[in-house]
Amino acid sequence: MKKKFRFQWGAFLLFLVFAGLFFLLLARIVTIQATGQVEGQELAAKAAAKYSQEEVLTAERGKILDRSGEIIAEDTLSYKLVAVVDEKATQKASDPRHVTDINLTADILSKYIGTPREKIYETLKQGQDEGRYQVEFGSAGREISHTQMLEMKEEELPGVLFIQNLKRLYPNGVFASHLIGFAMKEELENGDMVTKGKMGLELIYDDILTGENGKVEFDTDRWGFLLPNSESAVTPAVDGADIKLTLDKTLENFLEDAMSSVQEEYDPKRMIALIANPKTGEILAMSQRPSFNPNTREGLSDNWLNESIQLTIEPGSPMKMFTLAAAVEEGKWNPNATYQSGSYQFGNTVIGDHNGRKGWGTISYLEGFQRSSNVSMAYLLERIGPDTFMNYIDAFGFGKKTGIDLPGEAAGKILDEREINKLTLTFGQGSTVTPIQMIQATTAFANDGVMMKPYIIDEIKNRDTGEVTLKGKPEEAGQPISAETAKIVRDVMASTVTAEEGSGKRFALQDYTVAGKTGTAQIPGDDGRYMTGKDNYLFSFVGMAPAEDPELVMYVGVQQPNMDVTEHGSKPVADIFTSVMENGLKYLNIEPEDIEETPVVEIGDYAGKTSDEVAAELGSRNIKVATTGSAGEISAQYPEKGEMLLAGGTVILQTEGETVLPDFKGWSKRELLAFQALSGLSLEIVGQGYAVNQSLSAGVKIAEGEPVVVRLQTPEDSYKVQMTDGPEGIPEEENTEEIITEDTSE
């Protein structure tokens, strides 16, 4: 029996529905495939946003270097501690990647980062409760050293990670700290940590020192693993520029050590010291006390001033140098002419000498200067004329900024409204100056009348390109006096150190002549009146050496030291000056006075000659020879052709062959560095001064890369400077020198 066909409307409608949905889906797929968009959004962009990762390439902050390229401040590797608290970070129970035991982790971490165990526990527990992936531990968990990181890693704490970072390091500790300043990590609003300069050069040149971070962009899968064959885009980091200073690390260390010693013994309220090259104006050392360690900020007070340029002081008797210079230049100086010392009447005011207005009877002007007589200055002002004298004060740069390449410099205040102001200025009372002004003005005496502008920045260099963007150079600041006047003033200042009645006898050096002037400046108290009492003065000395042709000029000021009853105010000042100046001149290889007649040999060009031939030639002229290898042809040398070397000195010759270690005893640091450069030998130089011993004996053959430790010692440690110490043998010293002014009106 033939079945009757029945049309199934329900199935047909269902087919149409599914067919329609299929064609709609197909059309949607084709549209997405063709346009790459869904609801106006780029799918490729959304995928890239989800699976693209970015890693920051941290830029290194520029280094601060001394004149020889030795590090003063640099970035060093440090670590940030983080703890993963999300259980989802662990894929296998046998290999936990999160903190599994909060109590144990808190106990162990508290031993290393100096944070109480309870606080660490609270941080970890709060992170877990809030569903965070990881937690950090604030400043205590940052700037962790490599050694600390390794020690903590040995604890094998699950979930504890270390992220590499950079930390600012000051390897010399307390070292021109108010000049260099410090930089430290600072958290931005977006949570990023950046190193920012907070004080000193680190703050002044923060933009130049700060680099620009780079980044690496790459694609990952949903679990964060790098996709195969994925392309990465690298934007390299740009490091900050390096700043090389005119500071000499060795001279600065001499100064820091001497000031720390005086600080410990006398505990003064304030100390300031500066050393400069008078021929160029380069600042070679600069320090003050109190000071601080920029690594830890220990000792940092609320005084952030660089007092060498920002503190104004009454200079005291060092101003007598400039009064003397004006008299000499004007033809009004007769050292053998005499005057009555003790007191000087100026209208209703009496100017007195520092020994209670007793004076020393009728004495010569030369003796008056040597004894630091205020009355002699008053009589010189009569001869010079007040207005002419003030012209010289202006020519020496007082009352205006030197223009040193540091911000915030003070100008001081020269009082000239009244005639009495001009008179007291002749011996440094009433008006104010800065230590850097004293240095600049004194360079005129040391540099044959030409005054040199001080500067501290030698160069700023782009580390990546080598381009020098700023170069410091010597600059004249004027010529207030003639060369002849400068020499006469130097000779008179030298006599204050050598003369029996000289006030600067304590400042004599063993091997060098010194020219300078002592000072005992009064200090205004809180009530505006000058303080009284034996120790309530700013004791100072401005000196240069060798006196005949000064290589260094130095200012030292010590305020309110705590001294024994028998001690004079210049004692702590002399302790700094004599130690630093003696060692500094020897370090610079300045010829001492006692070997003036030592023959000097001009060095020739020895390239291409044999070492035996040159050794014989130089040996006949009392010059030693050290070779970097076996005897043979010479390819380089130190010193260079045309340089002068004292008899008994050493010439280093670069030759081929295995290095044989010479006897370094007595070698300077410069000679050791020259030998290292020519030989390729790895020298570890410890200390300052001259070589006294070495880790391997002379004559030993050195394998490549084998280190040799050479220990240096300063001349001060090698011998004791013989000086009269104490009241006996010391001439009467300025006490309340600056002075005694008394109104005698009814």
Side-chain angles (χ1 to χ4, degrees):
M1 179 177 153
K2 188 176 181 180
K3 292 184 179 181
K4 184 179 178 180
F5 176 76
R6 297 180 60 187
F7 187 78
Q8 300 291 328
W9 284 101
F12 179 71
L13 290 174
L14 187 63
F15 170 77
L16 288 178
V17 169
F18 279 103
L21 290 174
F22 172 77
F23 283 111
L24 283 173
L25 179 61
L26 180 63
R28 182 63 168 160
I29 291 173
V30 171
T31 301
I32 292 173
Q33 185 72 22
T35 65
Q37 292 185 348
V38 175
E39 297 177 357
Q41 299 186 47
E42 290 283 351
L43 290 181
K46 290 181 68 68
K50 183 174 182 179
Y51 296 111
S52 291
Q53 301 291 327
E54 179 179 294
E55 182 176 331
V56 175
L57 299 177
T58 304
E60 187 173 338
R61 188 174 176 86
K63 298 176 182 178
I64 301 178
L65 313 163
D66 88 329
R67 63 187 301 107
S68 300
E70 297 203 40
I71 300 295
I72 296 176
E74 67 174 341
D75 279 356
T76 187
L77 189 63
S78 67
Y79 297 86
K80 179 174 68 174
L81 173 67
V82 299
V84 177
V85 293
D86 189 348
E87 294 182 1
K88 295 178 182 178
T90 297
Q91 301 296 318
K92 295 189 298 183
S94 60
D95 184 22
R97 298 300 179 94
H98 73 288
V99 175
T100 57
D101 188 333
I102 293 179
N103 284 294
L104 176 63
T105 302
D107 287 340
I108 293 176
L109 290 183
S110 66
K111 300 176 184 177
Y112 292 98
I113 65 174
T115 300
R117 182 252 183 218
E118 293 75 16
K119 188 173 182 180
I120 297 176
Y121 177 87
E122 183 182 345
T123 300
L124 294 169
K125 187 71 169 66
Q126 185 177 358
Q128 277 190 344
D129 294 344
E130 294 177 356
R132 296 171 61 186
Y133 182 79
Q134 68 183 41
V135 295
E136 299 180 14
F137 302 93
S139 59
R142 301 188 190 116
E143 298 188 352
I144 293 172
S145 70
H146 187 72
T147 301
Q148 283 180 300
M149 180 272 294
L150 292 177
E151 290 175 352
M152 283 192 274
K153 268 195 169 182
E154 289 181 359
E155 301 286 353
E156 298 183 350
L157 292 172
V160 173
L161 304 176
F162 299 91
I163 300 173
Q164 283 190 6
N165 209 332
L166 292 175
K167 171 187 176 181
R168 201 62 169 168
L169 176 68
Y170 303 89
N172 305 298
V174 178
F175 182 97
S177 302
H178 282 78
L179 168 65
I180 305 302
F182 66 92
M184 59 188 298
K185 293 288 185 182
E186 182 179 276
E187 187 170 359
L188 302 179
E189 291 183 0
N190 62 4
D192 290 344
M193 299 298 298
V194 296
T195 301
K196 298 290 290 182
K198 295 296 182 181
M199 177 185 176
L201 293 173
E202 290 277 28
L203 172 62
I204 297 163
Y205 292 100
D206 186 61
D207 290 342
I208 291 172
L209 289 165
T210 301
E212 185 176 340
N213 288 341
K215 60 184 178 180
V216 179
E217 297 174 296
F218 49 88
D219 296 330
T220 65
D221 61 18
R222 61 183 297 182
W223 294 282
F225 293 104
L226 186 67
L227 291 172
N229 302 319
S230 64
E231 295 184 359
S232 61
V234 179
T235 303
V238 179
D239 293 334
D242 291 338
I243 299 178
K244 182 189 284 189
L245 306 180
T246 60
L247 290 187
D248 187 296
K249 181 180 176 181
T250 300
L251 289 176
E252 184 70 39
N253 280 328
F254 286 159
L255 184 59
E256 298 291 352
D257 291 345
M259 293 183 75
S260 294
S261 178
V262 168
Q263 179 78 22
E264 183 176 350
E265 183 174 358
Y266 294 99
D267 190 28
K269 181 177 181 180
R270 166 182 287 125
M271 286 193 290
I272 308 170
L274 278 164
I275 306 174
N277 180 339
K279 294 177 171 56
T280 63
E282 294 168 291
I283 300 300
L284 303 176
M286 176 185 287
S287 190
Q288 68 189 65
R289 293 292 185 277
S291 191
F292 67 97
N293 187 326
N295 290 303
T296 62
R297 269 76 72 188
E298 180 182 359
L300 183 61
S301 66
D302 56 1
N303 177 25
W304 287 28
L305 293 179
N306 182 352
E307 295 183 339
S308 293
I309 67 168
Q310 294 178 297
L311 180 70
T312 57
I313 56 173
E314 290 192 18
S317 280
M319 284 302 289
K320 292 172 182 173
M321 299 187 297
F322 309 104
T323 306
L324 171 63
V328 174
E329 188 73 12
E330 290 294 312
K332 306 299 184 181
W333 168 251
N334 182 348
N336 299 318
T338 59
Y339 72 99
Q340 180 62 41
S341 63
S343 62
Y344 177 90
Q345 186 82 28
F346 184 83
N348 294 324
T349 302
V350 175
I351 302 298
D353 280 326
H354 57 77
N355 60 351
R357 281 181 285 171
K358 292 184 299 183
W360 305 271
T362 300
I363 59 175
S364 70
Y365 280 91
L366 176 59
E367 184 177 343
F369 188 88
Q370 293 166 346
R371 291 187 182 276
S372 198
S373 165
N374 300 307
V375 174
S376 70
M377 297 296 108
Y379 281 117
L380 281 181
L381 184 64
E382 282 186 8
R383 296 184 174 195
I384 302 167
D387 293 338
T388 300
F389 171 66
M390 296 308 295
N391 290 338
Y392 279 96
I393 291 299
D394 180 70
F396 275 110
F398 295 113
K400 50 194 174 186
K401 299 176 182 180
T402 66
I404 189 173
D405 44 1
L406 292 171
E409 182 184 5
K413 176 65 174 177
I414 300 300
L415 301 179
D416 59 359
E417 293 83 4
R418 301 165 57 205
E419 294 303 304
I420 188 64
N421 298 144
K422 300 173 185 178
L423 175 56
T424 58
L425 179 56
T426 63
F427 48 82
Q429 185 176 337
S431 295
T432 60
V433 302
T434 62
I436 195 67
Q437 286 176 337
M438 295 298 292
I439 284 289
Q440 175 180 267
T442 305
T443 61
F445 304 134
N447 197 40
D448 292 335
V450 178
M451 192 166 66
M452 300 303 295
K453 177 181 174 180
Y455 68 102
I456 196 77
I457 304 297
D458 179 48
E459 67 176 23
I460 298 177
K461 180 186 287 187
N462 184 305
R463 193 185 305 178
D464 296 325
T465 66
E467 178 189 2
V468 175
T469 56
L470 185 149
K471 180 64 180 175
K473 59 182 180 180
E475 183 179 340
E476 294 183 9
Q479 186 169 354
I481 54 175
S482 66
E484 183 180 358
T485 294
K487 183 180 185 309
I488 292 172
V489 174
R490 284 202 309 270
D491 290 343
V492 175
M493 288 196 297
S495 74
T496 68
V497 178
T498 59
E500 188 63 33
E501 58 276 4
S503 62
K505 242 182 143 177
R506 193 185 294 274
F507 294 86
L509 303 181
Q510 175 172 310
D511 291 327
Y512 302 93
T513 55
V514 175
K517 186 70 192 75
T518 56
T520 310
Q522 291 177 287
I523 306 168
D526 294 336
D527 59 0
R529 300 172 64 87
Y530 286 125
M531 300 175 68
T532 59
K534 176 177 178 291
D535 297 345
N536 286 327
Y537 296 91
L538 173 62
F539 303 102
S540 64
F541 186 73
V542 181
M544 62 196 79
E548 296 78 13
D549 184 17
E551 298 287 343
L552 296 177
V553 59
M554 185 174 179
Y555 171 87
V556 181
V558 178
Q559 181 178 324
Q560 295 169 280
N562 295 309
M563 298 179 293
D564 294 337
V565 175
T566 58
E567 288 184 307
H568 293 296
S570 65
K571 175 65 165 58
V573 180
D575 286 350
I576 296 173
F577 179 85
T578 56
S579 169
V580 176
M581 187 63 81
E582 186 89 40
N583 288 330
L585 292 172
K586 290 186 180 297
Y587 156 70
L588 294 173
N589 290 325
I590 306 304
E591 181 181 347
E593 296 302 311
D594 60 351
I595 59 169
E596 284 184 355
E597 301 304 319
T598 302
V600 177
V601 177
E602 183 175 354
I603 302 302
D605 184 1
Y606 306 124
K609 295 183 178 181
T610 66
S611 56
D612 289 340
E613 176 187 356
V614 172
E617 175 189 337
L618 293 177
S620 65
R621 303 167 73 184
N622 195 23
I623 296 291
K624 302 171 188 175
V625 168
T627 58
T628 63
S630 306
E633 186 174 309
I634 299 165
S635 53
Q637 66 186 66
Y638 173 86
E640 299 289 338
K641 173 188 176 183
E643 292 192 32
M644 309 303 289
L645 188 66
L646 293 175
T650 301
V651 170
I652 303 169
L653 304 175
Q654 185 183 57
T655 56
E656 295 293 331
E658 195 172 9
T659 300
V660 177
L661 197 64
D663 182 359
F664 290 129
K665 189 173 183 179
W667 284 34
S668 69
K669 188 174 183 179
R670 289 183 178 182
E671 290 172 324
L672 291 170
L673 292 174
F675 187 86
Q676 179 175 254
L678 292 175
S679 66
L681 187 65
S682 176
L683 293 183
E684 184 176 336
I685 302 171
V686 179
Q688 304 292 341
Y690 296 85
V692 291
N693 58 46
Q694 56 200 71
S695 60
L696 296 177
S697 301
V700 173
K701 292 184 178 181
I702 305 299
E704 185 177 351
E706 185 176 0
V708 178
V709 180
V710 182
R711 189 168 69 86
L712 308 185
Q713 192 175 68
T714 65
E716 183 183 31
D717 294 330
S718 301
Y719 57 83
K720 298 295 183 182
V721 175
Q722 301 300 317
M723 282 178 53
T724 305
D725 188 17
E728 185 177 350
I730 296 292
E732 184 176 15
E733 188 171 337
E734 304 164 74
N735 189 9
T736 57
E737 161 205 349
E738 294 5 290
I739 250 81
I740 308 171
T741 60
E742 179 180 331
D743 193 334
T744 60
S745 59
E746 293 293 331

